[in-house]
Structures are given as C-alpha cells and as structure tokens.
Amino acid sequence: MNYIFETRMMVRDYECDIEGIVNNANYLHYAEHTRHLFLKDRGLSFAEMHNKGIDAVVARMTLKFKTPLRCDDEFISRLALKKEGLKYVFMQDIFRASDEKLCFSGTIDIVCLVNGKLADSEDYNKALLK
C-alpha cells in the first residue's frame, strides 16, 4: 500500500470490552481521527469547511478486523487515498506498533455535500489530491 499519512495512538482502557480487546466500534473512531489529522496536515479544517457549507460525509465502509488490540497497545494508523468520481476512497490500516501486525483494514468512501447537495469540492480536491 502506498500510504501518504500516518499517526500513532495508544489504546485506552475504557476502549476495551469484557474480553480485554478493543471494541470494534473504536476502530471507526481511530480511522476517523486519522482522517481528521490528515485533513489538518493538508491545511484543511473540518469545522471551517462546514462553516463554508461543505461537509465531507461517509458514504460507505468496508471493514476487516484482523488481530485485536489490547489495553495500552500503541498502534500506527496509516492511510492511502484515491479519487473515484465524486468520492474519495480512503484505504486505512491499523498496525500494532510492537510488531507491525495488521489489526484493522478499512475502505471508507467519503463524499462531499456542498450546501446540502452531492457535489465535487475544489477545496477538498486541492488539499487532498496534491
């Protein structure tokens, strides 16, 4: 995979379920946080874009859970990106930092609503497709 961004995070105890592993829903939080950090890194503010009437929203997700993360695990969240028509396709993988074992893999399709209507966004195109 040709990753263009990565960040490191740590599993917090309250993100784990009774089995002692990260609850599946938290991987969505990790992936979303990574996308928001990526936007910020590219000079794009999610909040400022919303104030301009441009909202990037999730259209579809395909998720694969591979190896569970546990409390206090450090992990690396990486993303790659391609554009297909109006959608931005984020390929996101999460690896356990200690051994680079793949824990989660997701393909997340994002589309833009401009003033409430599905449309292309020049702001997002300029920032994301550098």
Side-chain angles (χ1 to χ4, degrees), residues 5-66:
F5 183 80
E6 74 175 44
T7 190
R8 287 179 175 256
M9 293 181 244
M10 189 80 103
V11 173
R12 296 161 289 206
D13 58 350
Y14 62 83
E15 296 169 330
C16 298
D17 58 25
I18 197 165
E19 297 167 327
I21 60 175
V22 170
N23 179 277
N24 63 74
N26 287 301
Y27 291 93
L28 301 179
H29 293 285
Y30 301 154
E32 182 172 34
H33 186 63
T34 302
R35 290 193 307 278
H36 284 214
L37 290 175
F38 171 65
L39 289 176
K40 200 173 190 178
D41 183 66
R42 294 291 177 103
L44 211 57
S45 163
F46 199 71
E48 285 176 23
M49 293 304 295
H50 171 74
N51 291 337
K52 288 175 71 173
I54 303 168
D55 294 304
V57 297
V58 172
R60 178 179 304 147
M61 293 182 168
T62 303
L63 312 172
K64 297 176 188 170
F65 301 92
K66 306 302 260 176

Side-chain angles (χ1 to χ4, degrees), residues 72-101:
D72 296 329
D73 277 347
E74 183 180 11
F75 60 92
I76 306 160
S77 182
R78 297 181 173 125
L79 68 77
L81 173 65
K82 64 182 175 180
K83 180 101 188 281
E84 293 179 351
L86 292 177
K87 68 182 174 181
Y88 302 94
V89 180
F90 287 85
M91 289 77 63
Q92 296 188 246
D93 294 327
I94 293 175
F95 298 87
R96 189 170 49 210
S98 63
D99 59 4
E100 288 277 334
K101 188 108 178 174

